[in-house]
Amino acid sequence: MNVRTIAQQGLWQNNAALVQLLGLCPLLAVSNSFATSLGLGLVTLFVLTLSNLFISLIRHWLDEETRLPVQILVIATFVTLADLVLQSSFFELHQRIGLFVALIVTNCTLLGRAEAFASRNPIGYSIADGFMMGLGFLVALLAMGTVRELLGHGTLFANLDLLTGLPDITITIADRGFLLMVLPPGAFLTLGCLIALKNWIDGEAN
Amino acid sequence: MTIVKPILLALICGLLIAVTHVQLQHTIADNQRYYEERVLREMIGDLELQKNNDGWLIRQGENSLGQLSATTTEQGYNGIIRLFVAYTNQGEVISVRVTDHQETPGIGDGIELVVSDWVLGFEGRTLTGEHSVMALDGLTGATITSDAVKSAVNEVIAP
């Protein structure tokens, strides 16, 4: 066990979205633009890292029978705090993705890592695992967001300035796009192709 | 008793959230107010707003041009939709903006200007006739959501 294997697992080999297929609801719902993908991905990363940290901190104090509800309690607390911070510092982003920030609690990645890793491993490794799993999820989100926005809207980085306070760097390659890509079926198709691509890359590497 | 630890943790977490909420609530309220004012400004440009019972009176100098009302509807697909409707004294819609909703992203969220131009279609529409509010084409695939907004606007401009 070292940080390098944790990173490999979180980013590629055991990627939360592309391999474990966890957190698909937020993944599919907010990935129709790069900006919303970035927003939700960063919040998820933040909450996942903190929840892993905290649960690792109290792992010896937990009882076997109440472990799961306590983990959910911790995750829900951090999600609530993150939502409050979002409302006070990134209000536009909250207007766009607020619904999905609340749903981060239901993202199985968080409970999954809490149960499978943070409740059994030291704080340092748990933080690393939370961060890497969150980063892997973020990367998957950004890949989806890029494809869906380019094909669905014909733009990239649209509204990034509004939502995150970064300068406007919108790239427009077309007036309109393929509507399907911003609707749920397009999300599924994109995800399927991404997973296929990853599997193909893994196959070629062997 | 194994319930003690969860309860203790729940109290600590509750306290943490409460403290954060108190610290941030003014900033959040300011954000909501700023956002609302920005929407109102966008709806009526340079005209003046004067608070009254139903919302705001729209004025230009001494003349009252119309009314801007805030309204809500629960006829949408999910939860409450909050919207502002600005209309002239003759019952013609000046503009409509949806400020809050929980409609389906990618489908019903087209009622937001950020997502689609649909809500601009209300401008110039009236209660009856060829260009009535209810005659506006709904959002594709979001009949319930668009009907809810149309009905809400219709109710506002009705005398």
Side-chain angles (χ1 to χ4, degrees):
Chain A
M1 173 88 61
N2 55 45
V3 178
R4 182 146 174 256
T5 42
I6 291 175
Q8 281 171 340
Q9 287 286 306
L11 291 173
W12 189 262
Q13 277 151 4
N14 210 14
N15 185 293
L18 304 179
V19 179
Q20 297 182 71
L21 300 182
L22 298 176
L24 291 187
C25 170
L27 179 71
L28 297 173
V30 309
S31 59
N32 49 14
S33 82
F34 186 90
T36 51
S37 297
L38 183 66
L40 190 74
L42 286 176
V43 179
T44 307
L45 171 63
F46 176 70
V47 175
L48 181 51
T49 309
L50 280 181
S51 90
N52 261 24
L53 191 170
F54 196 76
I55 285 165
S56 178
L57 208 61
I58 63 172
R59 72 185 186 282
H60 296 305
W61 185 72
L62 293 177
D63 294 322
E64 190 62 28
E65 306 95 320
T66 54
R67 203 178 64 239
L68 284 173
V70 163
Q71 284 165 5
I72 299 243
L73 175 65
V74 170
I75 294 170
T77 304
F78 281 119
V79 168
T80 309
L81 292 176
D83 195 23
L84 283 173
V85 168
L86 217 59
Q87 281 183 69
S88 82
S89 302
F90 298 98
F91 195 73
E92 279 283 2
L93 186 61
H94 170 80
Q95 293 290 93
R96 299 295 312 134
I97 67 168
L99 183 66
F100 295 98
V101 172
L103 288 181
I104 291 176
V105 183
T106 65
N107 186 334
C108 295
T109 313
L110 282 93
L111 187 60
R113 298 325 291 167
E115 175 63 11
F117 199 96
S119 60
R120 297 149 210 269
N121 285 287
I123 298 172
Y125 289 146
S126 296
I127 296 176
D129 177 81
F131 186 81
M132 287 304 164
M133 282 289 165
L135 197 57
F137 188 76
L138 174 64
V139 170
L141 259 177
L142 290 178
M144 293 266 297
T146 306
V147 170
R148 290 181 71 196
E149 189 183 340
L150 274 174
L151 292 179
H153 288 297
T155 64
L156 190 58
F157 308 135
N159 295 322
L160 197 59
D161 52 332
L162 266 183
L163 301 186
T164 58
L166 297 168
D168 182 10
I169 47 171
T170 311
I171 304 167
T172 311
I173 60 168
D175 269 336
R176 47 181 305 161
F178 188 25
L179 180 64
L180 182 71
M181 297 311 289
V182 296
L183 295 179
F188 279 102
L189 289 170
T190 312
L191 180 63
C193 290
L194 262 181
I195 295 173
L197 181 65
K198 179 186 179 300
N199 290 344
W200 179 79
I201 294 174
D202 283 336
E204 288 295 301
N206 288 346
Chain B
M1 287 204 310
T2 54
I3 197 72
V4 171
K5 287 182 184 175
I7 291 180
L8 189 62
L9 192 62
L11 287 173
I12 295 174
C13 288
L15 192 66
L16 195 59
I17 292 174
V19 165
T20 310
H21 183 250
V22 164
Q23 285 292 93
L24 297 179
Q25 67 184 356
H26 290 301
T27 317
I28 293 174
D30 283 343
N31 284 343
Q32 284 167 339
R33 219 178 354 253
Y34 170 77
Y35 183 75
E36 184 181 285
E37 264 164 35
R38 217 182 57 187
V39 173
L40 295 179
R41 234 354 91 203
E42 188 191 296
M43 287 173 81
I44 53 152
D46 288 327
L47 302 174
E48 291 153 33
L49 288 175
Q50 186 186 333
K51 209 140 192 10
N52 65 14
N53 287 338
D54 269 322
W56 295 266
L57 194 64
I58 304 175
R59 281 179 25 193
Q60 186 164 40
E62 288 303 313
N63 307 326
S64 133
L65 294 180
Q67 177 73 16
L68 199 163
S69 297
T71 186
T72 61
T73 173
E74 287 174 35
Q75 307 294 324
Y77 207 68
N78 183 28
I80 300 177
I81 303 176
R82 293 183 197 280
L83 55 151
F84 287 124
V85 182
Y87 56 101
T88 65
N89 290 324
Q90 289 74 42
E92 188 181 304
V93 176
I94 301 175
S95 73
V96 173
R97 291 289 186 273
V98 172
T99 55
D100 198 22
H101 71 88
Q102 272 98 259
E103 304 302 293
T104 317
I107 306 177
D109 68 350
I111 56 178
E112 272 185 80
L113 191 56
V114 188
V115 178
S116 101
D117 284 342
W118 180 73
V119 90
L120 296 179
F122 281 105
E123 286 164 26
R125 290 196 176 253
T126 51
L127 198 58
T128 54
E130 209 182 289
H131 287 289
S132 73
V133 164
M134 297 310 282
L136 176 65
D137 276 336
L139 276 168
T140 313
T143 316
I144 296 177
T145 306
S146 18
D147 278 353
V149 174
K150 280 159 62 177
S151 301
V153 173
N154 212 37
E155 240 177 79
V156 169
I157 63 175

